[in-house]
Amino acid sequence: MGRLGGPRPGVRLLVLSLALLWTTSCGGTGGAGPGAGGSGGPGRSARGSAATSASPASDAELCARIVAHWSRKVLDSGTYGDYQSMGLSNGQYEILRDVVDAARAAGRSQGAAAADELIDRQARRSCAERYRHGTPGGGPWR
């Protein structure tokens, strides 16, 4: 709790980041619903409604979604932000840096579509590895 009884700024930012990520993954952009068949933007592959399911997402799935989201933002802008402002743990931020480095290389050699696919694939694989035994211990920065 903050001094005045409200949530800490970092917690508030994490909740807002996850809400943004959830909204965009559910097709809440520009009124196009999950089944609208739109694309994720220029050079982005179309996302189906398979991302939304009746069961809650696992920690690894949430990690992969938020890492992929911020990896695309970093790749598009060319600059990194603070991992806490992105709602990431230090370990997730390490995954993001690795994903962005690989996506930049793939983009240069194979094009934007290959970089986009690599982001999803590597974020899923790295997050699955990170959360294979449950939530990593040692505090939120790990």
Side-chain angles (χ1 to χ4, degrees):
M1 290 279 175
R3 287 193 326 217
L4 301 177
R8 294 187 317 238
V11 172
R12 194 173 320 124
L13 187 57
L14 174 62
V15 170
L16 289 173
S17 296
L18 291 174
L20 171 67
L21 182 61
W22 180 80
T23 301
T24 57
S25 70
C26 291
T29 56
S39 71
R44 304 287 191 243
S45 60
R47 305 277 191 266
S49 61
T52 57
S53 65
S55 63
S58 69
D59 290 337
E61 291 168 330
L62 290 174
C63 170
R65 288 180 194 170
I66 198 165
V67 165
H69 169 80
W70 284 111
S71 294
R72 288 185 177 91
K73 295 284 188 189
V74 169
L75 197 59
D76 290 344
S77 70
T79 60
Y80 287 89
D82 176 61
Y83 73 95
Q84 291 174 330
S85 69
M86 295 177 183
L88 300 172
S89 69
N90 186 48
Q92 292 167 335
Y93 193 67
E94 289 176 17
I95 293 171
L96 174 127
R97 289 190 315 228
D98 292 342
V99 168
V100 170
D101 288 346
R104 279 189 180 133
R108 282 191 297 268
S109 65
Q110 301 168 339
D116 192 54
E117 290 174 16
L118 181 138
I119 287 172
D120 288 330
R121 185 175 58 250
Q122 189 166 340
R124 274 193 311 269
R125 182 179 49 226
S126 297
C127 287
E129 176 66 22
R130 178 168 172 73
Y131 290 94
R132 74 184 179 281
H133 298 298
T135 305
W141 54 89
R142 305 229 48 197

